Amino acid sequence: MTSTLLTLLLTVSCAAQTLAPNTSANEPSSAEMATKAATARVKTLDPKIHAVLALDPTALEQARAIDRQRKARGLLYGHVILLKDNIEADGPLPTTAGSMALLGNVTHRDAPLVARLRGADAVILGKTNLSEWANIRSNASISGWSGVGGQTRNPYALDRNPCGSSSGSAAAVAAGEVEAAIGTETDGSITCPAAVNGVVGLKPTVGLVSRTRIIPISHSQDTAGPIAMDVTTAARVLSVIAGTDTADSATKDADAHIADYLAALTPYALKGARIGVLRFATGWSVKTDEVFEQALTVLKKQGATLVDITELKDRDKIGEAETLVLHTELKADLNAYLATTPETVKTRSLADVIAFNTNHAQRELALFGQETFIKSEATKGLDDPAYKAARALSLRIAGHDGIDAMLAANHLDALVSPTMPPAWKIDVANGDQISGGGAGGLAAVAGYPHLTVPMGAVLGLPVGLSFIGPAWSEARLLGYGYAYEQAAKAKILPDFIPAIEEVKPSAPLLEPLER
């Protein structure tokens, strides 16, 4: 790693302390300085990874306006935030979901969560790349690719995938461009990119954070959440974006469930906790399992009691049911969203988007197709009995008979598992190549919170540790994640190497034995 790059990464990693909310009012232009520094980091680092779609040209103006205000500084004063580009923000930038079809989607309106960020004195720096349409267009997709942004790359090895769909948000944080970004998840789209990019990601309980003015997939499973350099920053961002939004009925109880997330961060949070170890969700790889066992040792040393859970009844039935739910809700929810877009957006329905992709196939469909879109267009609507039965089945298996039952039967406070294997290679010929276990889908389908924190690395590629709990247990999970983070100190910095096969310890082992 060059000294310049190391300096940039260390600068952003300590930004929370340098520009804390209690910064003296006499300190000049802190928001402005933070914005200029973040912009410089993006311009220096992003050509390597293509995580940022566009910088907001009003960012410095935002920062200067914040610095001029004569008021108590907000919780995110001095923080510069990037948004996944399916989240609307007032200003000149379009909200594209990575699709050429939405290049004209300049709405001049803030999503409520963005308004909350601004209200806490955060600067919105710009938009991040994502897996196009949040990775719902095709089962043969290449995570991290979009027609607008091209391919985002993993900063730990540039030939490795950053995972989707919040790929740019996670890669930008991992690279040190910003301290925090906002991602969205339907199933794995915050936690997977956070894990394989070696950062913290929190998928909140569905209904804790508003989804209004966010390009949707599924009203049953969609949520936005923070991706951050550390647990403290994630908790700080969640404290700001959580809350009821009258335009999103799922959030009607959010205010009643908000906790003091920062107060939950204590190094002793794991003492006396009972943690279920999801053995059925291991098996990504031998090396990943070895790192997981080391993480379990840390949990025990911090005072947690571990209970092995080896199976979950009917888990294999969730996939088919979830697929029908997502396909059905995608058509209904996306059509409803597109109807609210400006007249400059000519694609007013999912059917229009399918036709647009066909007409622009040379760019949009050259690497993979849109078979999921086509299947979604063929669904029968939210009153379809098959859809309703699928939602009830998947929710029961993942929630009542899944996470809830595992916690109750063993008197547990939370569940843990490896989040994902190390990042796989970008493969334009075959699409994403990944197999194995995992438990994130349970939390996604149930709508329950899921936190991933760095737990170490496999040959220099990060892997994450998942903490999963019941609805509204974000404070508890953040406390556990913080205690683990402080004890394990498992986070590593990226080297932006071309490939792990080109450096030690891999490279010498790939050469023939000298005789």
Side-chain angles (χ1 to χ4, degrees):
M1 181 184 299
T2 66
S3 59
T4 301
L5 178 56
L6 180 59
T7 299
L8 285 165
L9 291 171
L10 291 176
T11 298
V12 75
S13 69
C14 66
Q17 298 175 5
T18 304
L19 296 169
N22 294 325
T23 299
S24 169
N26 294 322
E27 183 178 343
S29 304
S30 294
E32 181 178 352
M33 289 190 294
T35 302
K36 286 181 175 178
T39 301
R41 291 192 297 266
V42 170
K43 290 180 177 179
T44 299
L45 299 172
D46 207 66
K48 300 175 184 291
I49 59 173
H50 304 298
V52 178
L53 274 181
L55 292 171
D56 188 334
T58 73
L60 266 180
E61 180 183 331
Q62 295 174 48
R64 288 165 180 157
I66 291 168
D67 286 333
R68 287 195 299 267
Q69 292 172 351
R70 302 292 184 181
K71 67 171 188 176
R73 299 305 191 187
L75 192 62
L76 294 178
Y77 176 65
H79 287 67
V80 180
I81 306 288
L82 285 165
L83 304 174
K84 183 177 179 180
D85 197 32
N86 57 352
I87 302 171
E88 293 187 12
D90 191 12
L93 299 182
T95 301
T96 69
S99 172
M100 295 166 58
L102 294 186
L103 283 172
N105 189 30
V106 182
T107 66
H108 297 293
R109 59 191 187 185
D110 276 340
L113 78 83
V114 177
R116 286 175 174 270
L117 291 170
R118 295 193 201 274
D121 288 338
V123 173
I124 306 303
L125 185 66
K127 298 292 196 76
T128 59
N129 196 24
L130 66 160
S131 303
E132 187 174 305
W133 294 107
N135 225 9
I136 193 66
R137 203 186 80 189
S138 170
N139 288 333
S141 67
I142 306 166
S143 292
W145 181 89
S146 75
V148 174
Q151 181 65 52
T152 297
R153 297 178 179 273
N154 191 307
Y156 288 85
L158 300 178
D159 66 339
R160 297 277 168 163
N161 198 285
C163 195
S165 66
S166 304
S167 48
S169 294
V173 173
E177 294 177 352
V178 291
E179 228 187 318
I182 305 297
T184 66
E185 175 160 329
T186 305
D187 190 337
S189 290
I190 288 175
T191 53
C192 177
V196 305
N197 287 280
V199 294
V200 173
L202 174 64
K203 183 201 84 72
T205 303
V206 172
L208 183 63
V209 177
S210 168
R211 291 92 52 87
T212 302
R213 297 176 182 168
I214 299 176
I215 299 173
I217 291 177
S218 160
H219 59 265
S220 292
Q221 296 182 204
D222 285 355
T223 184
I227 296 174
M229 290 286 282
D230 52 42
V231 175
T232 301
T233 305
R236 190 181 298 276
V237 173
L238 182 65
S239 299
V240 169
I241 64 175
T244 297
D245 166 26
T246 56
D248 182 356
S249 60
T251 67
K252 61 184 176 61
D253 296 324
D255 284 350
H257 291 285
I258 291 174
D260 190 336
Y261 303 116
L262 287 168
L265 308 185
T266 164
Y268 310 108
L270 286 163
K271 187 176 178 62
R274 289 180 57 83
I275 307 293
V277 180
L278 300 181
R279 293 293 180 185
F280 64 79
T282 60
W284 291 110
S285 70
V286 171
K287 291 186 181 297
T288 302
D289 286 348
E290 289 174 353
V291 178
F292 181 53
E293 292 301 323
Q294 295 169 11
L296 295 180
T297 298
V298 174
L299 297 179
K300 286 189 287 188
K301 287 182 177 179
Q302 295 307 301
T305 298
L306 304 184
V307 179
D308 281 356
I309 301 174
T310 57
E311 62 181 355
L312 173 61
K313 183 180 178 182
D314 294 334
R315 186 165 69 106
D316 59 333
K317 296 179 181 179
I318 294 179
E320 183 178 354
E322 181 190 13
T323 296
L324 178 56
V325 170
L326 299 189
H327 288 180
T328 302
E329 293 186 359
L330 170 65
K331 180 181 179 181
D333 296 351
L334 185 58
N335 284 352
Y337 172 81
L338 290 172
T340 74
T341 57
E343 293 182 358
T344 49
V345 177
K346 304 305 180 184
T347 49
R348 312 303 297 180
S349 67
L350 176 59
D352 290 345
V353 174
I354 293 171
F356 178 93
N357 290 338
T358 300
N359 292 333
H360 297 82
Q362 186 174 7
R363 174 70 179 181
E364 287 287 359
L365 302 180
L367 296 177
F368 54 89
Q370 57 177 341
E371 67 276 4
T372 301
F373 271 9
I374 293 169
K375 291 176 181 177
S376 296
E377 178 61 25
T379 57
K380 301 176 181 179
L382 300 179
D383 293 327
D384 178 19
Y387 155 74
K388 292 182 177 180
R391 176 56 183 158
L393 175 64
S394 61
L395 184 59
R396 174 182 62 79
I397 296 172
H400 183 273
D401 294 350
I403 294 172
D404 292 338
M406 288 185 287
L407 293 171
N410 297 281
H411 306 289
L412 302 174
D413 299 299
L415 308 170
V416 295
S417 73
T419 309
M420 292 293 291
W424 54 97
K425 287 191 175 183
I426 297 166
D427 188 341
V428 297
N430 299 299
D432 289 346
Q433 300 297 301
I434 186 170
S435 62
L442 296 177
V445 172
Y448 291 175
H450 177 186
L451 172 72
T452 183
V453 299
M455 73 170 182
V458 173
L459 296 174
L461 297 174
V463 285
L465 175 66
S466 287
F467 292 88
I468 295 170
W472 316 112
S473 63
E474 283 80 4
R476 185 191 313 169
L477 300 186
L478 286 164
Y480 295 163
Y482 178 82
Y484 172 78
E485 174 189 71
Q486 299 303 301
K489 301 188 184 304
K491 182 176 177 58
I492 61 172
L493 294 177
D495 284 321
F496 298 83
I497 60 174
I500 64 168
E501 291 81 7
E502 296 183 13
V503 298
K504 292 180 178 179
S506 302
L509 299 174
L510 299 178
E511 297 298 323
L513 183 66
E514 294 185 7
R515 292 183 289 175

